Amino acid sequence: RRLRPASVLVGVRDKDAPSIIMTVRSENLRAHGGQISFPGGRKDEGDEFPVGTALREAQEEIDLDPAAVKVIGYLDDYPTISKFRVTPVVALVDAAAPVHSDSEEVAEVFELPLSFVLERRNYQMRKLGRLGLKYYELNYKHYRIWGATAGMLRSLYDRLYGGAVA
């Protein structure tokens, strides 16, 4: 089957300690309402993919100025059950750059400590439904991070630690 291109911004910033910018999707959205995600979305015509898509979406969703972002690399494409091929764009984000939630798409913006992401014990393997589809889950404070977002965070962990097996 054909997967539609999308990209997300894995934005790392260092205020007091390195953290990753995360969003809580608005409950009013048709798909994935209330879930935790990275800023990002599907490729639009004219986007310079994948960076242009990730930066455009981050600006639309959390008002992040693209000039405050320095791309440093990519994680492997991540296929989703919603038929997207998501390219995670890893970038450093200026610690002083303001971000704001957009009332239509994003209910909240928060920062996930990189130290939490890099602790193997924080990743739990779960199974979905009768088919037993496996996915990762992380629980940070009151946030449940699961599915594709947790899978991409685990991909970051694996990249930094040489693909260690769970």
Side-chain angles (χ1 to χ4, degrees):
R1 72 178 187 240
R2 186 178 170 131
L3 300 177
R4 298 169 289 175
S7 66
V8 295
L9 183 69
V10 182
V12 180
R13 59 200 229 163
D14 193 1
K15 288 182 180 177
D16 300 323
S19 61
I20 298 175
I21 299 170
M22 306 296 296
T23 66
V24 179
R25 293 174 54 84
S26 172
E27 292 282 353
N28 300 325
L29 295 174
R30 280 184 308 144
H32 311 291
Q35 293 183 7
I36 309 301
S37 65
F38 300 105
R42 77 180 77 198
K43 177 187 182 295
D44 280 355
E45 191 173 318
D47 280 349
E48 187 176 323
F49 187 78
V51 174
T53 300
L55 294 178
R56 176 185 52 76
E57 288 282 345
Q59 188 169 32
E60 290 174 6
E61 292 179 5
I62 63 172
D63 201 27
L64 179 61
D65 182 354
V69 179
K70 179 183 177 188
V71 175
I72 59 172
Y74 307 89
L75 298 175
D76 292 337
D77 287 350
Y78 196 96
T80 68
I81 60 173
S82 54
K83 300 181 182 172
F84 284 96
R85 179 183 36 82
V86 181
T87 302
V89 177
V90 182
L92 299 176
V93 177
D94 185 325
V99 294
H100 309 282
S101 60
D102 171 84
S103 60
E104 289 185 26
E105 292 187 53
V106 175
E108 179 184 349
V109 178
F110 71 97
E111 296 194 21
L112 180 65
L114 188 58
S115 61
F116 182 84
V117 172
L118 299 181
E119 281 290 332
R120 183 174 173 217
R121 69 173 180 242
N122 291 330
Y123 293 87
Q124 305 298 315
M125 182 61 73
R126 304 282 189 228
K127 289 184 181 180
L128 181 65
R130 296 177 299 166
L131 298 176
L133 180 66
K134 292 181 181 180
Y135 65 92
Y136 284 109
E137 179 177 299
L138 296 98
N139 290 285
Y140 173 71
K141 295 186 177 180
H142 63 280
Y143 302 106
R144 177 180 178 241
I145 306 165
W146 66 285
T149 302
M152 287 179 242
L153 288 169
R154 181 58 191 241
S155 178
L156 176 64
Y157 170 91
D158 289 344
R159 178 73 57 93
L160 294 172
Y161 288 99
V165 178

